[in-house]
Amino acid sequence: MALQHDSWAEAAEACGVSPSAFSQGIAALERSLGVTLFDVAGRRRTPTSAAVAAEALARRAIAAHGALDDWATATRTGAAGLVRAGMIDTAAIHHFGDHLMRYRRDHPRVDLRLSVASSAELVDNVRAGDLDLAVAVATSKDPTLEQVPLIDEPVRVYPPPGTPAERLSDPTTWGPWVSFPRSSRTRRLVGEALSTMGASFDVVAESSQPRVLREMVRLGMGWTALVVADAETEPHALEPLTPEPLIRRRLVCVRRRDRRLGPAVDGLIQLLVAAQPTP
Amino acid sequence: MALQHDSWAEAAEACGVSPSAFSQGIAALERSLGVTLFDVAGRRRTPTSAAVAAEALARRAIAAHGALDDWATATRTGAAGLVRAGMIDTAAIHHFGDHLMRYRRDHPRVDLRLSVASSAELVDNVRAGDLDLAVAVATSKDPTLEQVPLIDEPVRVYPPPGTPAERLSDPTTWGPWVSFPRSSRTRRLVGEALSTMGASFDVVAESSQPRVLREMVRLGMGWTALVVADAETEPHALEPLTPEPLIRRRLVCVRRRDRRLGPAVDGLIQLLVAAQPTP
DNA sequence: ACTGTAGTGAAGTATTGCTTCATCAAAGCT
DNA sequence: AGCTTTGATGAAGCAATACTTCACTACAGT
């Protein structure tokens, strides 16, 4: 601004333009505003009282513009933005809980919203565009979705405590079962694996919460097949039938292929793929 | 903004430009910000989550710019601005008090600052540029100042109550006097008038306040010559020697000729010159 | 009075933003 | 499927804007 410079030419230089351009610019501004900003006394230009008021308003306008610029650079670098992420409970709690905390701490200007739900719901939300990314059990091929593998989790079989040893070795005698609700991807995978082994998979109790399934097994309601992280954690950890997993459940990061995500989302995804699975 | 319009072309029309220009403009904006604002799905353009954040910031910037515009029009019409006015006490109280109140009421966005002082001080301040206008006793010709006449005030002679009748008719027996301080313009004018009449003008008591001079006369300390509005108002109004005025004091509106005043100042001046002198 | 200098106007030029026209791809229709 | 319609975009051209350089005027300081 010209208010704090003594000479017209000095102010022009501060603006980085020639004195002539500065003069023309001020004249054009006065014309467009219809307000005289400077009194002319000899070769001296004295700012009018109107000029100081105009300067305050002009500074606010410039600051508002600069705020947009700042936001743009922050968004460009991934320091700011909106990230709508979804995770299944195991991922949110066991595998990526501290990663999420760390991301939150390192990116305070990112608005990270996490929703925990079942794989099916998460993938549906990603498809609808309500979620930017989801960590879920790998789904069938879908050309509109991109799935990058994150973690392979072993799923083991857990009989109720006190099950006779002869039943343990014969899969046809396994069951009955407690498992996730019918819509669960894991339940479907487990069911398929048991069928190929010749075992029945009659589910006598359901819950979406691994904690609840674990307690049911402890109470003798039935067998279950769970991810190790869900089954063998205290309190009341279960004893696996064998160390060998029944199947391996693959957790992937799902996102829409057509949607260009912001750098903030990319940053979170990179963090997830770089994360070593917590054993 | 394009966020609330369904089609790209519709938004372009709302902006008053061709669809092509709109497309180019958005592309340029995305390029300059370095942030993708719209996802392209088929021929559909879906605003990114970044776009809604950017829109909020952009609206603020536009509003700030509009505020400057509003201020400019307000200033142009005289509805807003800064007015630094000066008046001698008589003008501020008797002649223009209610005019000032009215102006304040009608122009709430005008920052009106009134300073009451002697004519000499006021004119000095106008000369220095610290006052935009002053209502004062007419001064000697000064090419840098413009003086527009406002009011002619009669100045009458007031003897102390109980003065012998034979002294009243003979100016050479008038006096002694109480009057304004030596720097006062009115005092000088009165002194000159009395001299030409052959009367002495020995001042035995001074005050810048007409109220005080009036009381001194009532207490018999001496004669005075005052503007009617100052002398003949209750309480303790004085009795004039004759209805004919000794002199007429001319109040003028003084302003610097070289300084371009804002419309707010012009409005006040017009109000003053249009004001009928309160009798 | 002279001279240096600050501010301004005029002419020319580069950049910007717009329009029109052409092109391309996605929807919609039969 | 094939055709047509339509909406977004790129290219060329044009107008407006903002900047530069250069010349000029008038103030200021010796």
Side-chain angles (χ1 to χ4, degrees):
Chain A
M1 277 283 151
L3 302 188
Q4 45 267 15
H5 294 280
D6 278 353
S7 105
W8 215 234
E10 184 183 338
E13 189 182 10
C15 288
V17 298
S18 71
S20 178
F22 188 80
S23 173
Q24 295 176 45
I26 295 288
L29 180 62
E30 285 188 333
R31 225 176 311 117
S32 88
L33 289 181
V35 176
T36 65
L37 267 5
F38 291 90
D39 280 323
V40 35
R43 66 172 43 165
R44 202 125 211 99
R45 302 291 178 272
T46 314
T48 307
S49 55
V52 312
E55 191 210 7
L57 289 167
R59 281 199 185 284
R60 295 188 51 174
I62 293 173
H65 190 99
L68 205 162
D69 249 27
D70 290 348
W71 168 86
T73 58
T75 301
R76 206 162 37 222
T77 61
L82 169 64
V83 177
R84 298 164 302 177
M87 288 192 180
I88 60 173
D89 50 6
T90 311
I93 296 171
H94 291 297
H95 299 305
F96 300 116
D98 38 359
H99 295 280
L100 288 173
M101 264 181 50
R102 188 141 42 86
Y103 183 83
R104 264 223 156 81
R105 174 166 47 76
D106 294 344
H107 303 263
R109 295 177 60 189
V110 170
D111 182 10
L112 173 61
R113 304 182 189 178
L114 178 69
S115 64
V116 175
S118 70
S119 293
E121 288 180 62
L122 293 176
V123 172
D124 282 349
N125 282 333
V126 169
R127 234 187 238 109
D130 294 332
L131 285 180
D132 296 321
L133 81 159
V135 176
V137 179
T139 179
S140 53
K141 280 288 175 222
D142 182 334
T144 72
L145 297 182
E146 184 188 29
Q147 306 187 39
V148 318
L150 292 179
I151 290 181
D152 259 11
E153 293 179 299
V155 176
R156 289 177 178 160
V157 174
Y158 299 91
T163 304
E166 61 273 19
R167 289 187 57 194
L168 298 180
S169 52
D170 181 6
T172 62
T173 66
W174 292 355
W177 298 84
V178 299
S179 187
F180 295 111
R182 192 171 300 272
S183 62
S184 158
R185 244 170 255 279
T186 303
R187 169 167 165 172
R188 191 160 50 77
L189 295 175
V190 167
E192 289 167 5
L194 288 175
S195 305
T196 61
M197 293 176 63
S200 73
F201 188 54
D202 52 330
V203 176
V204 296
E206 301 178 334
S207 170
S208 60
Q209 302 182 45
R211 263 302 290 278
V212 175
L213 297 177
R214 223 161 69 198
E215 291 303 312
M216 288 177 173
V217 172
R218 269 195 67 245
L219 298 176
M221 286 200 64
W223 296 46
T224 195
L226 279 179
V227 166
V228 170
D230 283 336
E232 302 180 25
T233 49
E234 296 299 335
H236 305 316
L238 295 179
E239 194 70 32
L241 176 68
T242 63
E244 290 81 43
L246 173 66
I247 55 171
R248 301 194 72 87
R249 182 174 88 165
R250 169 162 297 188
L251 292 191
V252 295
C253 177
V254 185
R255 55 174 166 172
R256 268 173 65 158
R257 205 177 288 277
D258 62 345
R259 178 160 289 214
R260 307 243 307 148
L261 270 15
V265 178
D266 289 338
L268 177 57
I269 291 179
Q270 283 184 14
L271 190 70
L272 296 181
V273 303
Q276 290 299 328
T278 48
Chain B
M1 274 286 152
L3 301 189
Q4 46 267 16
H5 294 280
D6 277 354
S7 105
W8 215 234
E10 184 184 337
E13 188 183 12
C15 288
V17 298
S18 72
S20 178
F22 189 79
S23 173
Q24 295 177 45
I26 294 288
L29 180 62
E30 284 188 333
R31 223 178 311 119
S32 87
L33 289 181
V35 176
T36 64
L37 267 5
F38 291 91
D39 279 325
V40 36
R43 66 173 41 165
R44 204 125 209 100
R45 301 295 178 269
T46 313
T48 307
S49 56
V52 314
E55 190 209 8
L57 290 167
R59 283 200 183 283
R60 294 188 51 173
I62 293 174
H65 191 100
L68 206 164
D69 248 28
D70 289 349
W71 168 86
T73 58
T75 301
R76 205 163 39 221
T77 60
L82 169 64
V83 177
R84 298 164 303 176
M87 289 193 180
I88 60 172
D89 50 6
T90 313
I93 297 171
H94 291 297
H95 299 306
F96 300 115
D98 38 1
H99 295 281
L100 288 173
M101 263 179 49
R102 189 140 43 87
Y103 184 83
R104 264 222 157 83
R105 175 166 46 77
D106 295 344
H107 304 263
R109 297 177 59 188
V110 170
D111 183 11
L112 173 61
R113 304 182 190 179
L114 178 67
S115 65
V116 175
S118 71
S119 292
E121 289 180 64
L122 292 177
V123 171
D124 282 350
N125 281 333
V126 169
R127 235 187 237 107
D130 294 331
L131 285 181
D132 296 320
L133 82 160
V135 176
V137 179
T139 179
S140 54
K141 282 288 175 222
D142 182 334
T144 72
L145 297 182
E146 183 189 31
Q147 306 187 39
V148 318
L150 292 179
I151 290 181
D152 260 13
E153 293 179 300
V155 175
R156 290 176 177 161
V157 173
Y158 300 90
T163 305
E166 61 272 19
R167 290 187 57 194
L168 298 182
S169 51
D170 181 7
T172 61
T173 67
W174 292 355
W177 298 85
V178 299
S179 188
F180 294 112
R182 192 171 301 270
S183 63
S184 158
R185 244 169 253 280
T186 303
R187 170 169 165 170
R188 190 160 51 75
L189 294 175
V190 167
E192 289 168 6
L194 289 175
S195 304
T196 59
M197 293 175 62
S200 72
F201 188 55
D202 51 332
V203 175
V204 298
E206 299 178 336
S207 171
S208 61
Q209 303 182 44
R211 266 298 295 277
V212 175
L213 297 177
R214 223 160 71 196
E215 290 302 311
M216 288 178 172
V217 173
R218 270 194 67 245
L219 299 176
M221 287 200 63
W223 298 44
T224 195
L226 278 180
V227 168
V228 171
D230 283 337
E232 303 179 26
T233 49
E234 296 300 335
H236 306 316
L238 295 179
E239 192 71 32
L241 177 67
T242 64
E244 290 80 44
L246 172 67
I247 56 170
R248 301 192 70 86
R249 180 174 91 166
R250 169 163 296 189
L251 292 190
V252 296
C253 177
V254 185
R255 57 175 165 172
R256 268 174 65 158
R257 205 177 289 276
D258 64 346
R259 177 160 291 214
R260 309 242 310 147
L261 271 14
V265 178
D266 289 337
L268 179 56
I269 291 178
Q270 283 184 14
L271 189 72
L272 296 181
V273 303
Q276 291 299 327
T278 49

